[in-house]
Amino acid sequence: MTATATTAGPLDDGKSRRDFLLIATSTVGAVGTALAVWPLVDSMNPAADVLALASTEVDLSAIQQGQSITVVWRGKPVFVRHRTAAEIKAAEATALSELIDPQPDKARVKKPQWLVMVGVCTHLGCIPLGQKANDLKGDYGGWFCPCHGSHYDTAGRIRKGPAPQNLAVPDYQFLSDTVIRIG
Amino acid sequence: MAAVQWKNPVIKWIDYRLPIFTMVHHDLVDYPTPRNLNYWWNFGSLAGITLVIMVLTGIFLAMYYTPHVDYAFESVERIMRDVNYGWLIRYLHMNGGSMFFLAVYIHVFRGLYFGSYKAPRELLWIIGVFILLAMMATAFMGYVLPWGQMSFWAATVITNLFSAVPLVGEAIVRWLWGGFTVDNPTLNRFYALHFLLPFVILGLVGLHMWALHVHKSNNPLGIDIKSPSDTIPFHPYYTAKDMYGLGIFMTVYLFFVFFAPNFFGEPDNYIKANSLVTPAHIVPEWYLLPYYAILRAITFDIWFIPAKLIGVIAMFASILILVLLPWLDRSPVRSARFRPLYKQFFWLFFVDCLILGWVGANPPDAMLMGKISLLVIGQLATLYYFAFFLVIVPLLGIFERPKPLPESISAAVLKPGAAE
């Protein structure tokens, strides 16, 4: 067996074996190149220390009704709003059929008076206005993005403008009645 | 051309081994050039010279710039205030970007008007489109480096364009950022790429010149070179003409550098980047405004494709469509001088680009005289932009009746009383 296998076969056999060797070598070469390129590509992804950014704890006790604060989580602003009864009512009363990205209000909050969401417009990443008392709040009384004119309602849902999605709600949990941990 | 006989023994020795002197003589001295080139033909060499100025000033800026979010803004201010002639080098670089685009845009419109993209110069044209794309990427990343408010938010908005890609959009954006927002990793890689890309552009310019020198320059009549009497040697005729044009170009360039250095800039970029506050009105540099207007003009979904994705596609398509132009235009006549209808649509297209730029400079919900929505104007202008390439140009190729072409360049130019 070993003796015959190492002996060169007839001419056309040798040719097809050469083709096979060429294709196999090129394939291994191509896969090897791709494997060698991957570390370069992946090096541009977030590094371990960036991924390890700690979660952020927020004390809610100082935030009055109708007030908002902005906290930084993973370098992004997170909006925390103590909603008024009127805002909660407006958000809950909105029919899903009116929404661009339909989501009921209760799916966006853990406790109705506390709205926590990433304050980054889902269009092209600007920070919407509406955190300060005298900011523009848009046509729906929530937030308004000045870059390209997206209007968000009192639940941070997109109502008008180019943004495709509601403002994102991050993972968070209530550690006590007045402290949340984001991330 | 026949080989040159070099007399100097050193030149002779080198040229025998590396024919670099022969090449220069062949491509810059003897090089046969159509005898009727007008001043619109200056802008290619002006763009090339500006590229060299950008690379040179850029290297000196790199000696003082610090690509770190905590130091970038301060290091630029230090260049402006403390480094010897730092203000001059930076203002040359800043305004050089605008002058580079100005020269290139005139160069592109020249090509469009005189049909320089047509056979056999299609590849020459396509390489040019890639140069334009590389320039835009370079300019965008360079704009981020001073780490001002506009830098940061331009980086945020432009990188977020890629989030429109279905399924993998978010992963791509995170990969571009190297984090969860535009941050130090982003600034570092933009600096590395901003340094690299100009050399890629230099390489592309080399290919552009190579392709140019195979079939030689087009000319205002758009007809082929038929005999040696149609041409004159590049030196001294066009070296002199290019130098004269350069003098005027530099006068304009240096006027901005010395007397209005921040004319093209945004005051907000002298505020250090703040990731928690978006400036009230984000605008790109003037040379990107028309594309920005096209991006924002798409506010409606088409079938299942969201508006955001269509906007991004339209923006990239507005440049990439130039690649197809040699095949969209079926007219055998190059120069608009002999194409009475194309000439009118061309100027309309030129005005359309200016309108897009003007719309792009304004807030998205602005109104003209309180009545007409700029969004609608932007949408109509976008419609004309694409209709020009996809409908008007192909139809003109079939239906337009061009005027008779002159028999040759020399016949048209040397005849007493010949038209321009």
Side-chain angles (χ1 to χ4, degrees), chain B residues 122-137:
Chain B
E122 303 98 319
L123 258 183
L124 172 62
W125 172 261
I126 291 169
I127 295 165
V129 176
F130 285 107
I131 293 174
L132 181 59
L133 281 172
M135 278 174 64
M136 286 173 180

Side-chain angles (χ1 to χ4, degrees), chain A residues 40-47 50-51 53 70-72 74-78 120-129 132 144 146-149 151 161-165, chain B residues 153 156-158 160-163 170-171 174-181 183 185 189 193 275-282 292 295-296 298-299 306-308 312 364-365:
Chain A
L40 299 178
V41 173
D42 194 37
S43 74
M44 287 174 71
N45 270 319
V50 175
L51 288 173
L53 275 181
T70 305
V71 295
V72 180
R74 288 182 163 179
K76 292 182 212 198
V78 170
V120 173
C121 181
T122 58
H123 181 224
L124 293 174
C126 297
I127 313 293
L129 300 171
K132 295 194 193 111
F144 171 71
C147 291
H148 306 97
H151 299 252
Q165 283 153 14
Chain B
W153 291 101
T156 299
V157 169
I158 301 297
N160 263 305
L161 292 178
F162 292 91
S163 69
E170 292 299 328
R174 199 168 301 167
W175 178 72
L176 289 172
W177 287 340
F180 299 102
T181 51
D183 207 338
R189 64 191 55 183
L193 294 173
S275 64
L276 298 183
V277 179
T278 307
H281 180 206
I282 299 186
Y292 195 57
L295 168 76
R296 296 193 307 189
I298 313 294
T299 50
K308 180 171 157 182
V312 173
D365 45 7

Side-chain angles (χ1 to χ4, degrees), chain B residues 12 32 207:
Chain B
K12 205 169 181 172
L207 293 177

